[in-house]
Amino acid sequence: MRVVAYDPYLSPERADDLGVEKAELNDLLARADFISLHTPLTAETRNIISAEAIGRMKKGARLINCARGGLVDEVAVKAALESGQLAGAAFDVFEEEPATSNPLFGNEKVVSTPHLGASTSEAQENVALQVAEQISDYLLTGAVTNALNMPSISAGEAQKVRPWIALAEHLGAFAGQLTDKQHRRGGDRL
Protein backbone atom coordinates (compact mmCIF):
# COMPACT_ATOMS: atom_id res chain seq x y z
CA MET A 1 0.00 0.00 0.00
CA ARG A 2 1.26 3.47 -0.82
CA VAL A 3 0.62 5.76 2.15
CA VAL A 4 -0.01 9.46 1.57
CA ALA A 5 -0.15 11.72 4.63
CA TYR A 6 -1.37 15.23 5.31
CA ASP A 7 0.14 16.83 8.40
CA PRO A 8 1.14 20.50 8.47
CA TYR A 9 3.73 19.73 11.16
CA LEU A 10 5.34 16.75 9.42
CA SER A 11 8.73 17.60 7.97
CA PRO A 12 9.70 16.12 4.59
CA GLU A 13 12.62 14.35 6.28
CA ARG A 14 10.33 12.74 8.88
CA ALA A 15 7.89 11.70 6.13
CA ASP A 16 10.78 9.97 4.35
CA ASP A 17 11.79 8.26 7.61
CA LEU A 18 8.22 7.00 8.03
CA GLY A 19 8.02 5.85 4.42
CA VAL A 20 5.05 8.08 3.59
CA GLU A 21 4.47 10.64 0.88
CA LYS A 22 3.57 14.04 2.28
CA ALA A 23 0.71 15.76 0.44
CA GLU A 24 -1.62 18.71 0.84
CA LEU A 25 -5.11 17.85 2.09
CA ASN A 26 -6.95 18.47 -1.20
CA ASP A 27 -4.42 16.32 -3.10
CA LEU A 28 -4.79 13.53 -0.54
CA LEU A 29 -8.60 13.66 -0.73
CA ALA A 30 -8.52 13.40 -4.53
CA ARG A 31 -6.08 10.46 -4.58
CA ALA A 32 -6.85 8.25 -1.58
CA ASP A 33 -8.95 5.10 -1.70
CA PHE A 34 -9.02 4.92 2.12
CA ILE A 35 -8.89 8.01 4.31
CA SER A 36 -8.08 7.39 7.95
CA LEU A 37 -8.12 10.27 10.43
CA HIS A 38 -5.50 10.52 13.19
CA THR A 39 -5.75 14.05 14.56
CA PRO A 40 -6.93 15.86 17.67
CA LEU A 41 -10.12 17.90 17.55
CA THR A 42 -9.20 21.60 17.42
CA ALA A 43 -10.81 24.69 15.93
CA GLU A 44 -8.75 24.04 12.77
CA THR A 45 -9.70 20.36 12.48
CA ARG A 46 -13.41 20.55 13.38
CA ASN A 47 -15.35 19.18 10.38
CA ILE A 48 -12.12 18.75 8.41
CA ILE A 49 -14.19 16.19 6.52
CA SER A 50 -17.09 18.40 5.46
CA ALA A 51 -19.54 18.01 2.57
CA GLU A 52 -17.11 20.10 0.50
CA ALA A 53 -14.15 17.86 1.42
CA ILE A 54 -16.17 14.74 0.64
CA GLY A 55 -16.96 16.23 -2.77
CA ARG A 56 -13.21 16.43 -3.44
CA MET A 57 -12.72 12.76 -2.62
CA LYS A 58 -12.26 10.06 -5.19
CA LYS A 59 -15.66 8.49 -5.95
CA GLY A 60 -15.97 5.24 -4.01
CA ALA A 61 -13.44 6.18 -1.31
CA ARG A 62 -13.82 4.81 2.21
CA LEU A 63 -13.58 6.94 5.35
CA ILE A 64 -12.31 5.80 8.76
CA ASN A 65 -12.57 7.95 11.88
CA CYS A 66 -11.15 6.45 15.04
CA ALA A 67 -9.60 9.74 16.16
CA ARG A 68 -12.19 12.21 17.52
CA GLY A 69 -15.86 12.96 17.10
CA GLY A 70 -16.40 16.33 15.46
CA LEU A 71 -13.75 15.84 12.78
CA VAL A 72 -16.41 14.65 10.35
CA ASP A 73 -19.77 16.08 9.31
CA GLU A 74 -21.77 12.91 9.92
CA VAL A 75 -24.86 14.14 8.01
CA ALA A 76 -22.65 14.83 4.96
CA VAL A 77 -21.15 11.33 5.25
CA LYS A 78 -24.65 9.83 5.29
CA ALA A 79 -25.57 11.76 2.12
CA ALA A 80 -22.30 10.73 0.44
CA LEU A 81 -22.93 7.07 1.27
CA GLU A 82 -26.46 7.29 -0.14
CA SER A 83 -25.25 8.98 -3.35
CA GLY A 84 -22.35 6.56 -3.85
CA GLN A 85 -19.67 9.23 -3.46
CA LEU A 86 -18.40 7.20 -0.48
CA ALA A 87 -18.40 3.40 -0.70
CA GLY A 88 -18.18 2.91 3.05
CA ALA A 89 -17.28 4.35 6.42
CA ALA A 90 -16.05 3.07 9.77
CA PHE A 91 -16.39 5.06 13.00
CA ASP A 92 -15.75 4.47 16.66
CA VAL A 93 -16.09 8.12 17.64
CA PHE A 94 -19.04 10.42 17.07
CA GLU A 95 -19.97 14.10 17.39
CA GLU A 96 -22.28 13.32 20.33
CA GLU A 97 -21.10 10.78 22.84
CA PRO A 98 -22.25 8.55 24.27
CA ALA A 99 -23.73 7.84 20.85
CA THR A 100 -27.18 6.42 21.46
CA SER A 101 -28.46 7.58 18.08
CA ASN A 102 -26.66 8.87 15.02
CA PRO A 103 -27.47 9.51 11.35
CA LEU A 104 -24.96 6.79 10.41
CA PHE A 105 -26.43 4.04 12.61
CA GLY A 106 -28.24 1.34 10.67
CA ASN A 107 -26.55 2.13 7.36
CA GLU A 108 -25.25 -1.11 5.84
CA LYS A 109 -22.21 0.74 4.43
CA VAL A 110 -21.10 1.85 7.93
CA VAL A 111 -19.19 -0.13 10.53
CA SER A 112 -19.48 1.42 14.00
CA THR A 113 -17.82 0.11 17.12
CA PRO A 114 -17.44 1.40 20.68
CA HIS A 115 -14.46 3.69 21.18
CA LEU A 116 -11.97 1.65 23.18
CA GLY A 117 -8.74 3.58 22.54
CA ALA A 118 -6.29 3.13 25.41
CA SER A 119 -8.94 1.40 27.53
CA THR A 120 -6.92 -1.66 28.55
CA SER A 121 -4.42 -1.64 31.38
CA GLU A 122 -1.70 -2.66 28.89
CA ALA A 123 -2.54 0.32 26.65
CA GLN A 124 -2.48 2.68 29.62
CA GLU A 125 0.93 1.33 30.68
CA ASN A 126 2.31 1.68 27.14
CA VAL A 127 1.07 5.27 26.89
CA ALA A 128 2.62 6.12 30.26
CA LEU A 129 5.97 4.63 29.20
CA GLN A 130 5.87 6.44 25.86
CA VAL A 131 5.14 9.79 27.51
CA ALA A 132 7.92 9.25 30.07
CA GLU A 133 10.39 8.42 27.28
CA GLN A 134 9.38 11.49 25.28
CA ILE A 135 9.74 13.80 28.29
CA SER A 136 13.11 12.23 29.08
CA ASP A 137 14.25 12.76 25.46
CA TYR A 138 13.20 16.40 25.63
CA LEU A 139 14.92 17.05 28.97
CA LEU A 140 18.13 15.25 27.98
CA THR A 141 18.49 16.22 24.32
CA GLY A 142 15.82 18.78 23.47
CA ALA A 143 14.16 16.36 21.00
CA VAL A 144 10.39 16.84 20.67
CA THR A 145 8.11 14.10 19.34
CA ASN A 146 4.33 13.93 19.05
CA ALA A 147 3.69 17.46 20.31
CA LEU A 148 0.28 18.84 19.36
CA ASN A 149 1.39 22.44 18.89
CA MET A 150 4.72 22.13 17.11
CA PRO A 151 6.48 19.89 14.62
CA SER A 152 8.63 17.03 15.86
CA ILE A 153 12.31 17.94 15.98
CA SER A 154 15.39 15.81 16.50
CA ALA A 155 18.03 16.49 19.13
CA GLY A 156 20.24 18.05 16.40
CA GLU A 157 17.43 20.32 15.23
CA ALA A 158 16.68 21.27 18.85
CA GLN A 159 20.26 22.53 19.24
CA LYS A 160 19.84 24.72 16.14
CA VAL A 161 16.50 26.27 17.17
CA ARG A 162 17.21 26.63 20.92
CA PRO A 163 18.58 30.21 20.58
CA TRP A 164 15.50 31.27 18.57
CA ILE A 165 13.14 29.76 21.15
CA ALA A 166 14.99 31.63 23.91
CA LEU A 167 14.74 34.85 21.88
CA ALA A 168 10.99 34.37 21.43
CA GLU A 169 10.55 33.79 25.18
CA HIS A 170 12.52 36.96 26.01
CA LEU A 171 10.62 39.04 23.43
CA GLY A 172 7.32 37.76 24.86
CA ALA A 173 8.37 38.66 28.39
CA PHE A 174 9.51 42.09 27.21
CA ALA A 175 6.26 42.72 25.33
CA GLY A 176 4.33 41.74 28.44
CA GLN A 177 6.10 44.46 30.41
CA LEU A 178 5.22 47.16 27.88
CA THR A 179 1.57 47.21 28.83
CA ASP A 180 -0.25 47.76 32.08
CA LYS A 181 -3.19 45.59 31.00
CA GLN A 182 -3.38 41.88 31.76
CA HIS A 183 -3.21 39.59 28.76
CA ARG A 184 -6.08 37.19 28.37
CA ARG A 185 -6.62 34.11 26.26
CA GLY A 186 -10.07 32.52 26.24
CA GLY A 187 -10.97 34.37 29.42
CA ASP A 188 -7.97 33.04 31.36
CA ARG A 189 -5.20 35.28 32.63
CA LEU A 190 -1.79 34.59 31.20
Side-chain angles (χ1 to χ4, degrees), residues 6 10 28 34 45 56-57 63 67 82 87 90 107 116 122-123 132 137 149 153 156 165 170 175:
Y6 164 71
L10 181 67
L28 181 144
F34 290 84
T45 62
R56 292 186 188 121
M57 289 181 190
L63 177 65
E82 290 170 352
N107 188 312
L116 299 175
E122 292 87 357
D137 284 347
N149 58 353
I153 58 173
I165 292 172
H170 285 87

Side-chain angles (χ1 to χ4, degrees), residues 5-169:
Y6 164 71
D7 181 343
Y9 301 108
L10 181 67
S11 71
E13 296 79 20
R14 182 68 177 138
D16 286 343
D17 290 345
L18 294 170
V20 301
E21 176 189 341
K22 186 175 177 178
E24 291 301 317
L25 181 59
N26 288 335
D27 182 42
L28 181 144
L29 294 173
R31 294 172 50 200
D33 295 308
F34 290 84
I35 297 170
S36 182
L37 301 175
H38 304 274
T39 186
L41 179 62
T42 66
E44 292 80 25
T45 62
R46 179 169 295 284
N47 282 331
I48 192 167
I49 303 299
S50 62
E52 183 181 332
I54 293 169
R56 292 186 188 121
M57 289 181 190
K58 181 189 273 190
K59 186 171 176 68
R62 289 170 172 81
L63 177 65
I64 303 164
N65 184 14
C66 298
R68 297 287 182 271
L71 295 174
V72 175
D73 179 340
E74 295 161 354
V75 173
V77 169
K78 179 181 179 186
L81 290 165
E82 290 170 352
S83 74
Q85 176 65 20
L86 286 177
F91 284 66
D92 80 341
V93 290
F94 300 93
E95 177 78 29
E96 264 186 55
E97 292 188 348
T100 55
S101 66
N102 186 281
L104 299 173
F105 289 177
N107 188 312
E108 65 184 31
K109 295 179 181 178
V110 176
V111 174
S112 22
T113 62
H115 185 66
L116 299 175
S119 294
T120 65
S121 58
E122 292 87 357
Q124 289 290 312
E125 184 176 326
N126 288 338
V127 167
L129 288 170
Q130 189 176 38
V131 169
E133 289 170 356
Q134 291 169 357
I135 290 172
S136 175
D137 284 347
Y138 171 73
L139 294 173
L140 293 172
T141 69
V144 176
T145 53
N146 299 323
L148 294 178
N149 58 353
M150 71 177 285
S152 295
I153 58 173
S154 68
E157 292 168 326
Q159 285 292 91
K160 292 176 187 173
V161 300
R162 184 170 283 128
W164 300 106
I165 292 172
L167 175 62
E169 288 173 351

